[in-house]
Amino acid sequence: MLSAADDYPIHQIAEPVRYAGTSDRNFYDRYYFNLHASSGELFMVMGMGQYPNLAVQDAFCLLRRGTEHRVVRASRELGDRMDTTVGPFRIEVLEPLHRLRFVLEPNEWGLAADLIWEGAIPAFEEPRHHIRLHGRVLFDTMRLAQTGRWSGILHVDGEDIPVTPDRWKGTRDRSWGVRPVGEPEPAGIRADQPLFFNLWNYAPMQFDDHSILYIVQEWADGQRVMDEAVRVWADPAREPEWLGRPEHELSIRPGTREVDSAVISFPQAPGGAFDVRVTHLLEAHIGIGTGYGFDADWRHGMWQGPLVVQGVSLDVEADRDRFFGIVDCVARFESSTGEVGYGLHEYLFLGPHEKYGFTSFMDVP
């Protein structure tokens, strides 16, 4: 199983790079990107992952425009881990931690792209994410995060949309480690317990000369699995500034688990407390059709065959009953200190959460 990566001095164990340091089936290594025009006109979310112990590599591109939810997705057998192509998808690392290229070749589903990502801040190492339940490690992951700008071209149904860095922005992450992937496993003793967590809330906010990276993960009673709030400056000579324990007030749309808006607070920030008001511009249910969710036919790392390429097209109004789970939103961020920025507001409510009035797996208040 020698591959191109084996000619680089990057080995961590006494095996070819193709083999992970653990035989856990859930080991993964993924790219995530999103793209928006600092507005609600469209939102695109893209990803690619490798699952070495499942011998699968897959990719997706999700376009939300108007009420349309369109996904192009592909999966193949994993071979050389340096080969970041899956059917019409390709990711190229042009300048590590700074410039990458995302390509979706023209296909029968009318969505294609050739885009260059350039980081607006230095790539930032987020806290290690570790959850053990009844002895089993469910999560043990690392992730880097970065805000940035896009340039290139986006093709939608024959329309060429120029993408220029003056207004086309986004966020990306690279994560790797162990988390549930592939075909569902027997739940066993964990059947009556939440598989992941009850609240996940994540917001990388991009302002003119800095970005704020915010994470909160909580169990039902509000106890935190992890949290972080840090200001990362565009100038790499300036050290990141930790903002203390963050707090959240999420405005829930009546009769749903969907968030309309939010206020994220930083009461312990150096130099004085401040708030950021979050206004959603356009949302994308990234768990539907992409592999992030509970679709029986397509999950990250699920074996689909030597090569499969598919398209999914839904309407968020006509198919409303299908849309639940994790949500990514293009958002406007207005700080009480006067700055205005744009970025991602991501959230998931799964199971009870006392603060927001949820009492069972999928009830609504």
Side-chain angles (χ1 to χ4, degrees), residues 116-134:
I116 301 294
W117 163 272
E118 185 167 355
I121 60 171
F124 182 80
E125 180 183 318
E126 293 183 334
R128 189 166 183 164
H129 193 183
H130 189 276
I131 299 176
R132 186 187 294 271
L133 187 61
H134 291 297

Side-chain angles (χ1 to χ4, degrees), residues 65-96:
R65 185 165 71 160
T67 63
E68 180 186 23
H69 177 101
R70 186 188 315 192
V71 178
V72 179
R73 62 193 187 188
S75 177
R76 68 169 175 86
E77 183 177 358
L78 175 64
D80 189 335
R81 292 189 65 187
M82 292 290 283
D83 180 3
T84 53
T85 64
V86 188
F89 293 91
R90 182 168 80 254
I91 291 176
E92 300 173 13
V93 179
L94 304 178
E95 183 181 342

Side-chain angles (χ1 to χ4, degrees), residues 301-312:
M302 178 181 285
W303 174 248
Q304 303 289 344
L307 175 63
V308 174
V309 183
Q310 296 179 351
V312 177

Side-chain angles (χ1 to χ4, degrees), residues 18-207:
R18 168 63 178 81
Y19 299 119
T22 173
S23 61
D24 192 319
R25 71 184 297 277
N26 289 329
F27 184 82
Y28 78 103
D29 207 337
R30 289 194 57 80
Y31 295 89
Y32 166 98
F33 301 92
N34 65 53
L35 171 149
H36 59 83
S38 304
S39 70
E41 63 190 87
L42 67 80
F43 187 34
M44 200 162 80
V45 181
M46 309 90 88
M48 179 180 290
Q50 295 184 346
Y51 313 88
N53 298 327
L54 299 175
V56 170
Q57 179 162 311
D58 54 28
F60 74 89
C61 181
L62 161 62
L63 175 70
R64 171 69 197 275
R65 185 165 71 160
T67 63
E68 180 186 23
H69 177 101
R70 186 188 315 192
V71 178
V72 179
R73 62 193 187 188
S75 177
R76 68 169 175 86
E77 183 177 358
L78 175 64
D80 189 335
R81 292 189 65 187
M82 292 290 283
D83 180 3
T84 53
T85 64
V86 188
F89 293 91
R90 182 168 80 254
I91 291 176
E92 300 173 13
V93 179
L94 304 178
E95 183 181 342
L97 304 181
H98 185 59
R99 293 177 67 246
L100 293 90
R101 183 185 182 196
F102 174 85
V103 177
L104 173 56
E105 299 286 357
N107 54 76
E108 64 183 281
W109 294 283
L111 177 59
D114 190 343
L115 301 164
I116 301 294
W117 163 272
E118 185 167 355
I121 60 171
F124 182 80
E125 180 183 318
E126 293 183 334
R128 189 166 183 164
H129 193 183
H130 189 276
I131 299 176
R132 186 187 294 271
L133 187 61
H134 291 297
R136 173 91 183 264
V137 173
L138 294 181
F139 278 75
D140 187 12
T141 68
M142 290 295 299
R143 188 166 74 170
L144 67 83
Q146 191 174 40
T147 60
R149 300 176 178 87
W150 289 99
S151 59
I153 192 78
L154 179 61
H155 307 277
V156 183
D157 296 332
E159 177 188 0
D160 293 341
I161 303 173
V163 174
T164 54
D166 56 325
R167 69 187 189 104
W168 291 87
K169 300 176 182 179
T171 63
R172 79 172 183 111
D173 67 59
R174 281 277 292 111
S175 65
W176 59 93
V178 171
R179 72 181 185 193
V181 295
E183 291 78 358
E185 297 181 80
I189 194 172
R190 304 172 190 87
D192 295 328
Q193 294 183 296
L195 181 58
F196 307 122
F197 37 76
N198 300 80
L199 169 63
W200 169 260
N201 194 205
Y202 177 60
M205 320 169 195
Q206 184 175 347
F207 300 97

Side-chain angles (χ1 to χ4, degrees), residues 5 84 90 100 146 150 152 184 209 235 238 262 279 284 315 323 349:
T84 53
R90 182 168 80 254
L100 293 90
Q146 191 174 40
W150 289 99
D209 64 350
D235 180 356
R238 300 185 69 173
T279 302
D315 185 284
F323 288 88
F349 284 105

Side-chain angles (χ1 to χ4, degrees), residues 131 194 196-199 217-225 352-353:
I131 299 176
F196 307 122
F197 37 76
N198 300 80
L199 169 63
Q217 181 185 359
E218 295 179 346
W219 296 114
D221 60 1
Q223 180 181 346
R224 291 192 174 172
V225 179
H353 194 278

Side-chain angles (χ1 to χ4, degrees), residues 281-302:
L281 303 178
L282 189 64
E283 63 185 27
H285 287 75
I286 66 167
I288 310 303
T290 64
Y292 274 108
F294 305 103
D295 294 336
D297 63 335
W298 197 279
R299 290 165 54 94
H300 290 160
M302 178 181 285

